[in-house]
Amino acid sequence: MAGWRERLRGLTGRLTHASSASPADDARGGAVAASLRGLLDDPSIPADVRAAMAEDFRRVEHMLDRLENEELHVAVFGRVSAGKSALGNALLGRDAFEVGVLHGTTTRADVARLDEAAHAGLVLIDTPGINELGGEDRERLAFEVAEVSDLIVFVADGDLTREERDALRTLSATRRPLLLVLNKADRYADDERDGLLDRLRDHAEGLIRREDVIAVAARPTGREVIEVDAHGNERRHRELPAADVAALKTRLVAIAEREGKTLSAINAGLFAGRLTDQLSARIAATRRDVASRTIRQYCVAKAVAVALNPVPVADLLLAGGLDAAMVVQLSRVYGLPLTRSESGRLVAVISTQLAALMGAVWGMQLVSSALKGLSGGLSVVVTAAAQGALGWYATVLIGRAAEHYLVAGKSWGEQGAKRAVADIVASLDRDSILREAREEILKRLKT
């Protein structure tokens, strides 16, 4: 798992410094695609983790398709009724996206290819508005779409509200290039429009380049026209001016042609990098849960075996064998299998450190074992729970120490086994463990 993450981060780091498309970018984009495919096909990802993150894996598959088809996905984003869908239609030159007079007309992410820029792979994505009352799910969807897109067009129809400024900063944090578009610019006189553009540029300072704040009119307001015929008769009709989106379309096509492959590869790699982090965390949590159950199973087995074995010291030898078997199981959980002999040596190292730290505890266990033998087993009821609880506690310590060794890649780290084992002893609540162990042992002895 770490290999995919490091490879993707290295590739995206190199792509981030590229300013234009080049043969090298093609090669890097191919390398990102290969790494994404490796992530999808990674056999080390547990089936339950893969199922729980199925939607994320589908996104990676979509990103692979985009890379292979050389598409640049552009999310059209903004407040309800700012004219996002109308802007998408104006860019496309056709009614691909639903436009309505009611708030929240767009309820899902719709996708359409910009035909005039087909050679540049531009694909527009219309997103739901971010501020519709009761539309929390739509707002979440809008942010998710923006996060997995390659370029974001943020649409406003006036000076930015606080909500829009917050959204702009959030989107900027996704590290996607941003264009800020003033829609409905036809409603303003020239000086008003220029002043508004300056205010938008000030709001976006440090987030968006000034030249990427652009005025458009996706659906210009109609005007009433009076025509007079040769006989002096007047005829009134409403004229709908053509959309004015040429500056934005030119900018999008230029970005797609110059940086499209690079942006697509960067964003795919960034998303996959986050996904591998999430996968690593999910797998680690799953392994910890399985390891905890494994350790508890061996705690019960060892505690009962130690408590019921009437032969002096033999119970301790049996306990050592159970510890070695437990470590073998833990090594399989963490994907670093140990042989029985390797497991035994690891248990010996841990036990040596524990004996140095807790000699009195192990002394009590030896005394209890001897007492059982001398009494012919009659003192089992008196000593079994105490000795079994100590065996339980020792199993927890050995299991957690072995887990530390395995998580670190079969290593004790720079400070060695002594410090690692001491830290584990200090981190565990001995009294609560012993109390739980005694209760469980007594319950099992009664049955």
Side-chain angles (χ1 to χ4, degrees):
M1 185 63 61
W4 294 122
R5 181 169 61 250
E6 292 168 0
R7 196 172 308 134
L8 283 164
R9 284 178 176 167
L11 288 165
T12 53
R14 292 194 296 275
L15 283 164
T16 301
H17 294 91
S19 59
S20 61
S22 68
D25 291 338
D26 290 340
R28 291 171 185 143
V32 170
S35 292
L36 292 179
R37 179 58 62 191
L39 173 61
L40 289 174
D41 298 337
D42 190 344
S44 68
I45 300 173
D48 56 343
V49 172
R50 188 180 290 277
M53 304 184 72
E55 181 60 33
D56 295 303
F57 279 99
R58 278 193 290 272
R59 287 187 181 181
V60 173
E61 291 174 350
H62 292 158
M63 287 179 172
L64 265 174
D65 291 339
R66 284 158 50 184
L67 285 172
E68 292 168 356
N69 295 326
E70 297 185 354
E71 293 178 350
L72 181 72
H73 282 215
V74 181
V76 185
F77 194 89
R79 184 173 47 81
V80 164
S81 296
K84 303 181 305 299
S85 301
L87 178 58
N89 289 337
L91 288 167
L92 294 165
R94 64 184 188 278
D95 292 335
F97 303 128
E98 184 179 1
V99 177
V101 295
L102 298 177
H103 279 190
T105 299
T106 301
T107 59
R108 64 186 188 280
D110 292 326
V111 178
R113 180 180 287 274
L114 183 59
D115 295 338
E116 294 88 340
H119 64 286
L122 268 173
V123 175
L124 299 183
I125 304 174
D126 186 29
T127 66
I130 63 173
N131 65 326
E132 183 187 7
L133 182 63
E136 292 84 359
D137 289 340
R138 297 178 192 176
E139 183 171 344
R140 175 184 52 78
L141 173 63
F143 277 104
E144 288 178 354
V145 170
E147 187 179 25
V148 297
S149 298
D150 304 309
L151 176 67
I152 299 170
V153 174
F154 193 101
V155 183
D157 60 0
D159 200 3
L160 296 182
T161 65
R162 178 179 296 179
E163 183 180 46
E164 288 174 310
R165 293 196 296 271
D166 290 343
L168 200 61
R169 284 190 289 270
T170 299
L171 292 171
S172 177
T174 67
R175 299 171 65 181
R176 268 69 181 162
L178 278 163
L179 301 180
L180 178 56
V181 173
L182 172 62
N183 193 19
K184 307 177 184 178
D186 58 297
R187 299 186 306 183
Y188 304 98
D190 291 348
D191 57 341
E192 291 177 324
R193 183 195 62 217
D194 292 342
L196 186 51
L197 285 171
D198 285 339
R199 287 199 296 277
L200 292 176
R201 289 175 179 126
D202 290 340
H203 287 315
E205 187 71 32
L207 304 177
I208 301 174
R209 292 176 294 191
R210 296 185 72 82
E211 61 269 27
D212 286 337
V213 180
I214 302 168
V216 302
R219 294 181 73 190
T221 303
R223 58 182 179 176
E224 189 174 77
V225 177
I226 301 175
E227 294 181 349
V228 181
D229 62 20
H231 302 290
N233 298 318
E234 293 184 355
R235 185 171 65 86
R236 297 172 181 268
H237 68 276
R238 194 160 190 83
E239 185 178 87
L240 296 176
D244 180 10
V245 296
L248 176 59
K249 183 182 291 188
T250 299
R251 184 76 181 112
L252 288 173
V253 172
I255 292 173
E257 291 179 340
R258 188 179 69 248
E259 306 173 48
K261 293 179 181 178
T262 300
L263 290 175
S264 185
I266 288 173
N267 295 329
L270 288 173
F271 178 81
R274 286 194 299 276
L275 177 59
T276 53
D277 287 340
Q278 294 170 11
L279 280 169
S280 296
R282 185 76 66 100
I283 290 171
T286 300
R287 285 174 169 169
R288 284 194 300 271
D289 290 343
V290 174
S292 294
R293 291 196 297 271
T294 300
I295 291 171
R296 181 177 175 81
Q297 289 169 357
Y298 276 90
C299 283
V300 172
K302 180 177 177 179
V304 173
V306 168
L308 294 180
N309 194 328
V311 182
V313 185
D315 52 357
L316 301 182
L317 296 177
L318 172 63
L322 287 172
D323 288 336
M326 174 184 66
V327 171
V328 169
Q329 292 298 319
L330 291 175
S331 71
R332 292 172 181 167
V333 170
Y334 283 97
L336 297 170
L338 297 174
T339 64
R340 191 61 180 262
S341 60
E342 289 173 328
S343 173
R345 288 194 294 271
L346 180 58
V347 170
V349 170
I350 297 170
S351 298
T352 298
Q353 298 303 324
L354 288 173
L357 286 167
M358 306 172 67
V361 172
W362 308 140
M364 287 175 59
Q365 191 169 7
L366 287 169
V367 169
S368 297
S369 179
L371 179 60
K372 283 198 300 183
L374 292 173
S375 62
L378 296 177
S379 62
V380 166
V381 175
V382 178
T383 63
Q387 186 177 359
L390 289 172
W392 182 303
Y393 179 51
T395 301
V396 172
L397 291 174
I398 291 171
R400 293 304 178 197
E403 197 176 8
H404 171 94
Y405 176 81
L406 293 166
V407 168
K410 295 185 178 180
S411 170
W412 289 114
E414 295 180 358
Q415 296 181 319
K418 180 177 181 180
R419 178 57 183 272
V421 172
D423 288 346
I424 289 166
V425 171
S427 69
L428 296 175
D429 185 343
R430 182 182 62 185
D431 291 340
S432 65
I433 293 173
L434 290 173
R435 183 167 55 253
E436 177 191 5
R438 283 194 296 268
E439 291 173 357
E440 182 69 21
I441 292 166
L442 288 172
K443 181 174 69 176
R444 291 174 179 271
L445 288 177
K446 289 177 181 178
T447 59

